Amino acid sequence: MDRAAFACSTAFFHDYSSAAHGAACLPQGHVDYIEKVESFSYSDFFRDYLIPNHPCVFSAKFTEGWGSRRNWVTRDGKPNFDYLLQHFGKAVVPVANCDVKEYNSNPKEQIPLKEYISYWKEYIKKNYRSPRGCLYLKDWHLYRAFPEQEVYTTPIYFTSDWLNEYWDAKGLDDYRFVYMGPKGSWTPFHADVFRSYSWSANICGKKKWLLYPPRQEEYLRDRHGNLPFDVTAPGLQDSSVYPRYAQSCPPVEIIQEAGEIVFIPSGWHHQVYNLEDTISINHNWVNGCNVAIMWSFLQDELAAVQREISEWRDTMEDWHLQCQVIMKSCTGINYKEFYNFLKVIAENRISVLNHVLDEEASAKNTHRAATSALGMLHAVFDLKRAVQVLTSLNANEDFKKLNPKSLSPPPEALLHHLKAAIDTALL
């Protein structure tokens, strides 16, 4: 990041959270289209889209060198089933049934990819009908399962990725996914995990996105406070069930073509349709620009858990700990792990500031190399954002009940270390 962009980021530092959460309707639903790779820098993306939390679409030129675009697609632009079967046929993949609603999502099963492709071929032959319903391969961790495959390279705009940096360090999980589905498959209305950013690249096919800026989803709740499963359902116009629907803005609509990348900002609810047989690669990610939104989301999630089991508050000795256990089972993270998440990222940034990495060392740590490539000022920016959220976490009454002084290092010591590192870097 150059110094001008960093200065811009600092100007946004104090009011970013309110700007992101209070996003209004975009003018006439406009979404910027980024055409040329050579004229669009990381600083441009940081300034114009990450900080203001606005969506955009990258042209197919940004993905034209990917192995998946060469190998996973036939000459006529269709999924290359033969190649996929040859290289991944034995993999077991998660498949959702788009025709069945189970709570607020679609039920999933795990089946071999070769079985799914057999189904998909038959589904096409029968004019996109099947007694099994419309099946959609979703959330396949292909990157983790087949790291040796030449599939894609994460564009530099998305490489400041705290979420995958942390889970890669733990070696347990990641938030990189492949989606494959026939024409007509779709994903119900939702916002992404931890209110993260996401990017989605079409390897082949076409998608339609319906996007709602943060807080617009509040107008779509029914009289019980529940969000809709399908924002296009006629029932939303019934004011006795959805009393505030008439106040909502129309969704921002994006038609995404083959090769294009859609950037979905933090906290934007969306619903997605495959208009053709489609394969896409998706990442969820958090960084210094939206980690405060993640923290706000986690506080809301804990409050919801506490409301649900409030009747046992006075009779359950470890009530606060049980709330954390339930929160982690529902959300995937609790306050102590969030502290560890911030600690790992902050320590990595201090490492960037303390060491000049040679090419050989950089090649061994892709996340550190990516951060180093973005520049020392970006590492300082990340540390400042980590300090801001850690300070808020340390002052949180629910966090104080978890005996934070037993953590290694204790929050006060970690904050002192981070602030000293920032001061030293800015000398």
Side-chain angles (χ1 to χ4, degrees), residues 278-312:
T278 302
I279 300 175
S280 64
I281 292 170
N282 303 57
H283 281 205
N284 293 107
W285 94 102
V286 169
N287 62 25
C289 297
N290 68 338
V291 67
I293 296 178
M294 180 181 178
W295 169 225
S296 178
F297 167 74
L298 295 179
Q299 292 174 82
D300 290 343
E301 289 295 290
L302 180 60
V305 170
Q306 291 173 336
R307 286 192 298 271
E308 284 295 314
I309 63 170
S310 59
E311 61 185 289
W312 293 289

Side-chain angles (χ1 to χ4, degrees), residues 133 194 292 380 419:
F194 308 137
V380 173
K419 291 174 182 177

Side-chain angles (χ1 to χ4, degrees), residues 307-354:
R307 286 192 298 271
E308 284 295 314
I309 63 170
S310 59
E311 61 185 289
W312 293 289
R313 183 171 191 143
D314 297 327
T315 57
M316 186 182 295
E317 185 176 345
D318 60 348
W319 184 82
H320 289 285
L321 292 177
Q322 289 302 316
C323 287
Q324 294 288 326
V325 171
I326 295 170
M327 177 187 177
K328 185 167 183 177
S329 69
C330 296
T331 308
I333 194 171
N334 59 20
Y335 279 16
K336 279 191 173 181
E337 182 152 26
F338 183 59
Y339 174 81
N340 196 50
F341 166 76
L342 294 171
K343 180 190 75 170
V344 167
I345 299 304
E347 288 175 345
N348 286 352
R349 297 305 174 271
I350 289 175
S351 180
V352 170
L353 295 177
N354 288 343

Side-chain angles (χ1 to χ4, degrees), residues 84-332:
L84 295 170
L85 283 170
Q86 180 182 351
H87 289 81
F88 311 110
K90 294 181 180 179
V92 176
V93 296
V95 174
N97 191 331
C98 297
D99 293 343
V100 179
K101 178 183 176 182
E102 191 172 87
Y103 301 104
N104 62 345
S105 61
N106 304 120
K108 280 185 180 179
E109 59 179 323
Q110 299 278 337
I111 63 174
L113 180 64
K114 60 183 178 182
E115 180 184 334
Y116 180 70
I117 289 179
S118 176
Y119 153 84
W120 194 351
K121 288 179 176 178
E122 190 68 16
Y123 193 70
I124 294 170
K125 286 181 182 178
K126 293 188 175 180
N127 199 25
Y128 295 91
R129 290 184 175 88
S130 170
R132 297 179 66 179
C134 180
L135 303 185
Y136 190 8
L137 190 164
K138 303 174 72 172
D139 301 326
W140 179 22
H141 294 269
L142 179 139
Y143 180 93
R144 185 155 51 99
F146 298 93
E148 75 285 354
Q149 289 286 331
E150 184 193 357
V151 177
Y152 66 100
T153 302
T154 302
I156 190 172
Y157 317 102
F158 316 131
T159 53
S160 179
D161 178 352
W162 297 13
L163 207 55
N164 287 301
E165 180 177 351
Y166 174 69
W167 262 272
D168 282 352
K170 290 189 68 175
L172 298 175
D173 203 358
D174 71 349
Y175 287 87
R176 307 177 186 93
F177 308 105
V178 169
Y179 283 53
M180 300 184 183
K183 180 177 67 175
S185 52
W186 67 295
T187 299
F189 190 60
H190 69 287
D192 286 321
V193 59
F194 308 137
R195 297 303 179 262
S196 58
Y197 297 130
S198 68
W199 61 267
S200 178
N202 272 3
I203 304 307
C204 63
K206 181 187 294 188
K207 289 182 184 288
K208 180 170 78 171
W209 297 75
L210 303 177
L211 310 179
Y212 287 85
R215 293 187 176 173
Q216 278 297 309
E217 77 279 0
E218 296 303 321
Y219 298 111
L220 306 179
R221 294 186 183 276
D222 65 19
R223 56 192 176 90
H224 302 294
N226 300 314
L227 289 172
F229 181 72
D230 177 2
V231 291
T232 68
L236 270 72
Q237 299 180 38
D238 184 345
S239 59
S240 66
V241 180
Y242 294 92
R244 302 180 69 193
Y245 176 73
Q247 299 172 254
S248 67
C249 292
V252 176
E253 183 173 317
I254 296 173
I255 301 297
Q256 180 189 15
E257 303 288 348
E260 294 178 344
I261 305 173
V262 171
F263 165 63
I264 304 300
S266 193
W268 283 57
H269 283 69
H270 49 282
Q271 188 162 305
V272 194
Y273 297 89
N274 289 325
L275 304 180
E276 299 173 354
D277 296 317
T278 302
I279 300 175
S280 64
I281 292 170
N282 303 57
H283 281 205
N284 293 107
W285 94 102
V286 169
N287 62 25
C289 297
N290 68 338
V291 67
I293 296 178
M294 180 181 178
W295 169 225
S296 178
F297 167 74
L298 295 179
Q299 292 174 82
D300 290 343
E301 289 295 290
L302 180 60
V305 170
Q306 291 173 336
R307 286 192 298 271
E308 284 295 314
I309 63 170
S310 59
E311 61 185 289
W312 293 289
R313 183 171 191 143
D314 297 327
T315 57
M316 186 182 295
E317 185 176 345
D318 60 348
W319 184 82
H320 289 285
L321 292 177
Q322 289 302 316
C323 287
Q324 294 288 326
V325 171
I326 295 170
M327 177 187 177
K328 185 167 183 177
S329 69
C330 296
T331 308

Side-chain angles (χ1 to χ4, degrees), residues 33-37 57-64 69 257-262:
Y33 189 79
I34 315 302
E35 176 65 39
K36 296 180 180 180
V37 179
V57 179
F58 294 80
S59 76
K61 293 177 182 177
F62 288 82
T63 63
E64 62 185 6
R69 288 202 59 202
E257 303 288 348
E260 294 178 344
I261 305 173
V262 171

